[in-house]
Amino acid sequence: MNQINEQTQVVVVGAGPVGLLAAIELTLGGARVVVLERLAAPSKVMKALGIGPLGSEALQRRGMAPAMEEVEARAFDLMQSFAQQPGAQVRGKDSKFSGHFAGLPLIRKDAQREPHRRPRPLDQHSIEAMLAERVQALGIEVRRGCDVSSVVQQDDGVEVAWISDTGAGQLRCGWLIACDGGRSSIRKMAGFDFPGTPPSSTFYQAVAEIDHPERLLPIGWNRTSGGVFSYGPSAHPESRRLFMLDFSGTPANREALVTREEIEAVLRRISGMEVRVNALGSASRWTDNTRLAATYRQGRVLLAGDAAHIHTPFGGQGLSLGLADAANLGWKLAAVLRGDMPDSLIDSYTAERHPVAQAVLANTLAQVAIMRPDPQAGAMRELIAELMQFDDVNRRIGEMMSGLSTRYDLGSERDEVGRLIGDKPIGHGDAGVTLYDVMQDGKGVFLDASHGAVASRIVAAATRQLRCVAIDSGPSMLIRPDACIAWAADGDSTDGLEQALRRWFAVSPVAAQ
């Protein structure tokens, strides 16, 4: 029987981006973590090709900005190369658009409040690689080829058992986080309710060699009487990335291997053209099944990412949503494990993240609805496109798709409190230091604009989990490790600061008296 050290505090199931980031957040907070992954090696199946601003910012706060810039540069080079082809219309880095809604490139940068906080063309494989490198640097143990077979909760811990090629294994841990995807076995074993809408259509994504596509297929998003298709560049010069939305129904067998013949048949039906698929690389199919866990916590088992919510992948929202889950949960659970905060802090995870997922599920369902190949959906699609010419509407949908409209209800009347802050220069006029630069160790930050740093003395007496930074101009802000603004005030005011410190950070006995 294969045992892991009894001192393991948290087991994370799933070594995808969400699971790896959760492990990083926990480790930076002082927790002892083990990651169990069913697959013996990272999957090569093409997944997300982009990520929203909140997801990329979660990576940036943990020191991955240089790696992200390299991946993004390669992606833009590929797009520019593809753009040289006849008829190609590819949005580059300098495009005035910052995203799609239902396949329409209508979200304009000039209508957004924070246009620098934008989606980025970071593919999931590259994100997993940079996260894995950080995990290795932190010494986090990742055990691959471990398929969890049972989860038994007790009052003070969780017993986890798995099977692998080398035999069976088991361990006891304090908490278990399920990051094992939309078909999460942990969610099922732990008994989470997972309500939602049943599937009605089928999506395909593939890397394929298409015979003379320039003669037949229009580049970009195309809505036809048969469905929706799009094709564009891939990392392989002879291949193309193909996306298809088939409204003819759901697959007879979702588990069946996706074949070249199936991709060719669906592409012909949707495009209405006699296209030939010469060869097929990676390919996947899924449905528009849309579900959301009723709660993200059952005792000592927690859900994050696709294990907690599934929806259609428009706008790269799913990956970004899951990474923000991990950022929200990791520091909170670490604070509880350190003994700094009560167990009730973890309940704020569901309270904050569940409404965000509800909003994403709603907008993806709406996008599927107006992409349907019927006259009613077409009329609604045209109306939406017309309305998005108004800056206020464009901004509203842009912030919804990017996640920048996220605001946790922390009980404050100040608009910035509860929002996730982007990176910005900080310090006494030193533009070379940014907020995210000082957040890479997983601690929160107190930006102090008070005279003589009076407010910082209150913070320093209360907790060691915050870094105090004097700034030239206000407002002063208490920023959690997940970039959420937990308190803000103008001038020298400290009204409500001690209460916010007690709510979100450890408070020393002296400060509490």
Side-chain angles (χ1 to χ4, degrees):
M1 188 67 71
N2 195 354
Q3 288 282 121
I4 288 180
N5 192 307
E6 286 289 338
Q7 297 303 309
T8 299
Q9 293 179 308
V10 184
V11 168
V12 175
V13 179
V18 176
L20 293 178
L21 182 61
I24 290 168
E25 297 292 320
L26 285 159
T27 301
L28 290 175
R32 296 180 295 277
V33 185
V34 171
V35 180
L36 300 178
E37 167 57 48
R38 178 179 58 85
L39 299 178
S43 171
K44 299 298 183 182
V45 174
M46 184 173 59
K47 299 180 182 177
L49 297 174
I51 186 173
L54 297 187
S56 64
E57 288 171 359
L59 303 177
Q60 188 181 347
R61 288 194 301 272
R62 298 302 173 251
M64 292 171 232
M68 293 163 59
E69 290 170 2
E70 290 181 12
V71 173
E72 187 172 46
R74 291 198 301 268
F76 282 129
D77 287 345
L78 184 63
M79 292 177 193
Q80 290 305 313
S81 176
F82 187 74
Q84 304 305 315
Q85 298 186 23
Q89 295 180 348
V90 180
R91 292 187 301 113
K93 190 173 185 179
D94 298 324
S95 169
K96 69 177 181 179
F97 297 108
S98 64
H100 287 79
F101 181 77
L104 296 169
L106 295 175
I107 300 173
R108 304 192 323 273
K109 291 179 182 177
D110 62 0
Q112 309 306 309
R113 291 188 180 90
E114 300 176 279
H116 61 286
R117 301 177 75 183
R118 56 180 175 80
R120 302 182 70 171
L122 305 176
D123 65 278
Q124 185 163 330
H125 295 311
S126 297
I127 290 172
E128 286 187 18
M130 63 182 75
L131 283 163
E133 184 176 349
R134 185 77 168 111
V135 162
Q136 184 176 18
L138 290 171
I140 300 171
E141 183 178 4
V142 178
R143 291 197 171 194
R144 288 193 166 274
C146 297
D147 191 2
V148 174
S149 55
S150 72
V151 171
V152 179
Q153 287 206 61
Q154 298 174 342
D155 291 341
D156 59 349
V158 184
E159 290 186 357
V160 185
W162 69 89
I163 55 175
S164 68
D165 290 341
T166 59
Q170 68 177 22
L171 64 88
R172 178 180 170 79
C173 58
W175 296 82
L176 178 68
I177 304 179
C179 304
D180 55 337
R183 302 180 187 180
S184 170
S185 60
I186 305 301
R187 183 186 63 231
K188 297 170 185 175
M189 292 178 196
F192 284 85
D193 289 333
F194 201 46
T197 60
S200 62
S201 54
T202 306
F203 291 76
Y204 293 88
Q205 187 166 241
V207 174
E209 291 183 20
I210 303 173
D211 190 31
H212 298 295
E214 71 282 354
R215 299 179 185 174
L216 296 171
L217 295 177
I219 294 171
W221 288 84
N222 300 276
R223 179 173 174 268
T224 73
S225 59
V228 176
F229 75 95
S230 172
Y231 92 95
S234 77
H236 307 284
E238 302 301 321
S239 298
R240 295 290 179 263
R241 176 184 61 82
L242 181 65
F243 173 90
M244 299 182 292
L245 174 48
D246 182 6
F247 288 103
S248 65
T250 57
N253 181 4
R254 290 181 57 189
E255 305 296 331
L257 182 70
V258 181
T259 64
R260 182 198 66 80
E261 292 80 8
E262 181 180 0
I263 292 295
E264 183 176 275
V266 174
L267 181 56
R268 288 186 175 192
R269 183 169 64 251
I270 293 177
S271 69
M273 300 175 182
E274 293 299 310
V275 183
R276 177 168 179 77
V277 175
N278 294 330
L280 185 65
S282 66
S284 58
R285 88 165 75 74
W286 65 95
T287 68
D288 59 341
N289 194 12
T290 301
R291 297 186 181 278
L292 175 62
T295 178
Y296 291 1
R297 177 185 180 184
Q298 291 273 29
R300 289 176 172 266
V301 178
L302 298 147
L303 306 178
D306 289 350
H309 38 71
I310 55 173
H311 55 87
T312 53
F314 292 129
Q317 294 181 89
L319 181 53
S320 196
L321 183 66
L323 290 172
D325 287 346
N328 185 288
L329 173 60
W331 73 271
K332 293 176 179 177
L333 182 53
V336 171
L337 290 168
R338 288 195 308 269
D340 291 346
M341 296 295 292
D343 178 273
S344 58
L345 178 65
I346 301 172
D347 293 330
S348 69
Y349 169 54
T350 296
E352 291 178 353
R353 296 301 301 164
H354 195 273
V356 178
Q358 281 183 315
V360 170
L361 267 62
N363 86 59
T364 55
L365 282 170
Q367 290 185 73
V368 171
I370 66 173
M371 294 177 85
R372 294 187 182 281
D374 58 62
Q376 294 85 353
M380 181 61 74
R381 183 181 173 85
E382 291 177 5
L383 177 59
I384 292 293
E386 182 178 343
L387 290 173
M388 286 186 70
Q389 299 304 310
F390 295 96
D391 286 355
D392 288 349
V393 176
N394 200 286
R395 184 179 306 115
R396 175 70 185 92
I397 292 182
E399 291 180 350
M400 174 184 70
M401 293 287 291
S402 67
L404 296 180
S405 60
T406 298
R407 182 174 185 260
Y408 304 144
D409 183 6
L410 305 189
S412 174
E413 294 182 358
R414 293 189 66 115
D415 180 71
E416 68 263 56
V417 174
R419 296 196 182 277
L420 303 180
I421 189 171
D423 198 17
K424 68 174 186 174
I426 59 174
H428 289 287
D430 185 358
V433 178
T434 73
L435 173 62
Y436 285 5
D437 287 338
V438 300
M439 294 186 74
Q440 293 182 19
D441 61 359
K443 291 186 177 181
V445 173
F446 182 68
L447 299 181
D448 189 358
S450 66
H451 291 92
V454 174
S456 289
R457 289 197 284 272
I458 297 174
V459 173
T463 178
R464 297 179 181 178
Q465 296 303 315
L466 281 164
R467 177 173 285 103
C468 296
V469 179
I471 56 175
D472 294 329
S473 58
S476 296
M477 291 183 179
L478 177 65
I479 302 170
R480 304 184 329 195
D482 60 344
C484 175
I485 302 170
W487 172 90
D490 298 310
D492 292 335
S493 173
T494 59
D495 291 347
L497 176 57
E498 290 194 41
Q499 291 92 326
L501 289 167
R502 287 191 179 93
R503 182 177 182 181
W504 301 112
F505 296 93
V507 178
S508 70
V510 174
Q513 291 177 356

